[in-house]
Amino acid sequence: MAAIWTLAKLVTPVVGGLRSAMVAARTRAAGNAALMPRTEQDIPIGVVGVVSLVCVLPVGVLLAQFVSGAGLGDHLAFLVVSGVLYVAIMSFLVSAVVGYMAGLIGSSNSPLSGIGILAVIGFALIMIFHVPASADTGKAMVAYALFVTAVVFAAAAIANNNLQDLKTGQLVDATPWKQQVALVIGVVAGAVIIPPVLDLLNRAYGFAGAPGPHHEHPLPAPQAGLISALAQGVIQNNVDWSLIETGGLIGVGIIVADALLRRLRPGAHLSPLAVGLGIYLPTQSTLMVVVGAVAGWIFERSAEARPRPEATKQLGVLLASGMIVGEGLIGVLVAALVAFSGQDFPLSLVSDAFASGPAVWIGGLAFAGVIYALYRWVGRALIAEPSPPAGRGVPTS
């Protein structure tokens, strides 16, 4: 319900964005491209449309191969056509929601998995209306529903990353079309790099609930488990719809409460998507999001007392972004050490008892101290620097 509500609110800005893209296309066609501001020059919308249509073709081939190999060949035409149309339409809608949220609160807090619940239920319902589930086809249908949803997830994850990058570019007055070319290259590079990284993580730790050899400390995957369970429940007709109805009513209640809160106290709001994430994600996945939000709120309040508050806030955002990327890189590096050494803790210097007890508190205090020092340094970094020329953003180097 939160995803549908967010999507409904996005109709106006999405239509406005498409309209401005059409106006820009007509300006270029009239030979007046040079009159457009540099910060408004995008890749032509016509090129974007053609490339998007071309990308649908390999998706159709991929889906056809999956259907043939899964033993659903008798329903090949319906499953491939419905799958391609669903991917094209749902990817656009889901990308609009997650991209919008990434622009507001960052890609690390995007409700991608929550909206994925809506996507997998939708396609599972489409399948069962045409393809009868049986003991022979049930598992294959679940797998195909998850596969189609995975393609939607890929498109939405790309939008998630792209909107965060474009937002950062807007903060520093970047040229959009140059960013967009780089983002296309990034998508290709990601398709090459991400599968080996996931395989590395799987070899090092494994994923909870996934088939394969037993691992002592598998990586949790609550979103994947939830989405898989929903697909099985819909297709095998054993899902408890009363729970989904209850969740929908809770979503409506939160949306109403948010609207009343915004009206009664301007500036305050209750995010329905955030509440939904908090309900089904475990605390270990959401605790640091809350801690980070509180830290960001404290930093922004202190930035208001600085000579250049907006510039200081922007540097704070860049610092937080750098820590997110750094954490990911270090995580992959440690996974590589685990996978190639064959040891769960190749960098271990202390006993297990110390690592599970005092080391947790020492590490937590050290982390808090380092974060405090970094934000204090950022808060003071701009005081001694001269103010930039009007219209220019904060330098990123």
Side-chain angles (χ1 to χ4, degrees), residues 148-165:
V148 171
T149 305
V151 179
V152 175
F153 264 62
I158 292 170
N160 205 31
N161 175 73
N162 288 359
L163 263 293
Q164 173 130 320
D165 290 346

Side-chain angles (χ1 to χ4, degrees), residues 29 32 35 38 61 74 96 100 118 123 140 156 175 191 203 211 214 297 349 394:
N32 297 323
L35 300 178
R38 177 182 57 80
V61 173
D74 293 342
Y100 176 74
L118 187 66
F123 191 70
T175 304
R203 290 174 180 272
H214 172 73
W297 176 76
L349 298 175
V394 177

